[in-house]
Amino acid sequence: MNRRHFIRAGSGLACAAIAPAVHAWRAEPILLGQSAALSGPSAALGTEFRRGAMLVFDRVNAGGGIGGRPIELVSLDDGYEPERCERNTSTLIDRGALALFGYVGTPTSLAALPMAASSRVCLFAPFTGAEALRAPSNRYAFHIRGSYYDETERIVRQLATVGIRRIGVFHQNDSYGRAGLEGVLRGLSPLGLQPVCTGTVERNSSDVSSALDAILAGKPDAIIQISAYRSCAAFVRAAKRAGYGGMFYNVSFVGTQALADELGPDARGVVVSQVMPFPYAPTTVIAGEYLAAGRVSEGIAFAPNYSGIEGYIAATTMVRALRRAKGATRAGIVGALESLHEVDLGGFVVDFAPGKHVASKFVELTILTSDGRVRR
């Protein structure tokens, strides 16, 4: 099977609706490979990230590609399961992906990173803030978002500012949830505090009954949630039905708009930390570009969201690197990414260097409304 056939067949493995466009190009494509949740309870994270990225790649291809070569993004569905991600990653590497792009989640990205490093192909812009992917620094891992430590420190600081000291933690029972819990512990430690209660939920599950009992027994005034949007929504609804009147805080991986949509009117007052610019209005240049590109591509059906703008920024950064690369090779892309020092994309600064592979520490807090909007 040659690479062109693989692109067609590989896209079918993910979902026909997201198959990359095949152009009548004479030049060999620049192949980027993605393994992400495109089905199941976390599907909105992968599909929206990819949709945002494709706004950039489609525009670049319409303008002649990179040096006459089109960018092809092959996205394979892993359902947010690390074993499936390993198989997808092996397929993508074997078929010549020049970079792994936009993987979704901590357990999946942790499964992929050793494979990427051993093949000397970069794992770029994984949709996770886990410290285990960042420290120690790996030459083949590049992050455009702040870490869960950055996010949870900001949340804890906000809670301390308003005098809340009884804090519970609801977290996914895997490497993602443990990374977020560790961030909360680190944030509370200087204040001489510990969580008053914790509860867990399994990955890709919305059975929150045992977690609800454990956490409500501790009578927290605020609950920090570190899970995906469906389980977090299930927990908020169940807690409110049980009479809980405290506050809920989430980290960005939850999928802000997906969480708001799942909760409906129950979203009112739920706080989410963000590591990307506000995507719903042109308050930054990059957000304005994202909104304009989405409207051109999808018209009035375009629905901006944080996952989408993260994909858009990741793709914009990758295009910058591809234009700088000394040849579109695996090594060339790594070197080009390391050369993106203090690059302002229009309100979001990407700052890479040799030995510095985390581009940003930006974090801000947003709040959800009962009618599905996100406010800063």
Side-chain angles (χ1 to χ4, degrees), residues 154-164 167 222 224 247 249:
R154 179 69 180 84
I155 289 171
V156 169
R157 181 155 38 94
Q158 169 66 19
L159 290 170
T161 298
V162 298
I164 291 177
I167 298 170
I224 300 176
M247 302 180 69
Y249 284 75

Side-chain angles (χ1 to χ4, degrees), residues 126-147:
F127 192 172
T128 168
E131 198 68 17
L133 289 155
R134 298 159 184 255
S137 179
N138 188 302
R139 175 160 171 74
Y140 297 98
F142 290 83
H143 306 271
I144 62 168
R145 55 169 25 236
S147 73

Side-chain angles (χ1 to χ4, degrees), residues 33-324:
Q34 179 187 34
S35 180
L38 303 171
S39 65
S42 302
L45 303 177
T47 55
E48 292 303 324
F49 187 102
R50 187 186 194 281
R51 183 173 284 119
M54 289 308 300
L55 294 175
V56 177
F57 294 149
D58 285 344
R59 183 178 65 221
V60 170
N61 288 345
I66 305 292
R69 298 177 64 184
I71 300 171
E72 296 277 9
L73 176 61
V74 175
S75 298
L76 304 183
D77 183 16
D78 59 34
Y80 193 26
E81 293 292 349
E83 295 81 8
R84 292 173 63 184
C85 179
E86 286 183 0
R87 293 194 295 270
N88 289 347
T89 301
S90 179
T91 297
L92 293 166
I93 291 173
D94 288 348
R95 298 298 180 174
L98 297 183
L100 304 177
F101 175 90
Y103 276 42
V104 174
T106 300
T108 46
S109 298
L110 284 171
L113 182 55
M115 303 171 70
S118 65
S119 300
R120 299 184 180 181
V121 55
C122 76
L123 178 67
F124 178 72
F127 192 172
T128 168
E131 198 68 17
L133 289 155
R134 298 159 184 255
S137 179
N138 188 302
R139 175 160 171 74
Y140 297 98
F142 290 83
H143 306 271
I144 62 168
R145 55 169 25 236
S147 73
Y148 293 142
Y149 286 180
D150 297 327
E151 293 189 68
T152 51
E153 189 277 335
R154 179 69 180 84
I155 289 171
V156 169
R157 181 155 38 94
Q158 169 66 19
L159 290 170
T161 298
V162 298
I164 291 177
R165 299 176 65 83
R166 295 188 61 81
I167 298 170
V169 182
F170 168 72
H171 68 92
Q172 201 161 280
N173 186 26
D174 65 2
S175 53
Y176 160 49
R178 289 189 291 273
L181 175 61
E182 177 62 24
V184 174
L185 295 174
R186 287 169 60 101
L188 290 174
S189 180
L191 305 176
L193 299 176
Q194 289 279 329
V196 295
C197 49
T198 63
T200 64
V201 64
E202 298 304 311
R203 182 174 58 247
N204 284 334
S205 171
S206 295
D207 182 359
V208 300
S209 55
S210 61
L212 183 72
D213 292 342
I215 290 175
L216 294 189
K219 299 181 179 179
D221 294 320
I223 300 169
I224 300 176
Q225 300 183 286
I226 306 148
S227 191
Y229 58 93
R230 284 192 178 167
S231 54
C232 286
F235 186 90
V236 171
R237 286 193 300 265
K240 288 188 174 184
R241 284 198 301 268
Y244 180 71
M247 302 180 69
F248 297 94
Y249 284 75
N250 290 262
V251 295
S252 60
F253 182 80
V254 72
T256 305
Q257 194 60 57
L259 178 64
D261 294 344
E262 281 282 322
L263 280 171
D266 284 330
R268 182 176 181 272
V270 173
V271 177
V272 186
S273 57
Q274 308 294 350
V275 293
M276 291 288 133
F278 189 73
Y280 300 99
T283 53
T284 58
V285 172
I286 192 72
E289 292 176 358
Y290 164 66
L291 292 168
R295 288 165 185 153
V296 168
S297 176
E298 301 179 25
I300 60 173
F302 176 61
N305 56 77
Y306 275 100
S307 302
I309 199 171
E310 185 159 348
Y312 187 90
I313 287 175
T316 299
T317 306
M318 175 57 71
V319 167
R320 290 281 188 113
L322 290 171
R323 295 196 189 282
R324 288 193 184 195

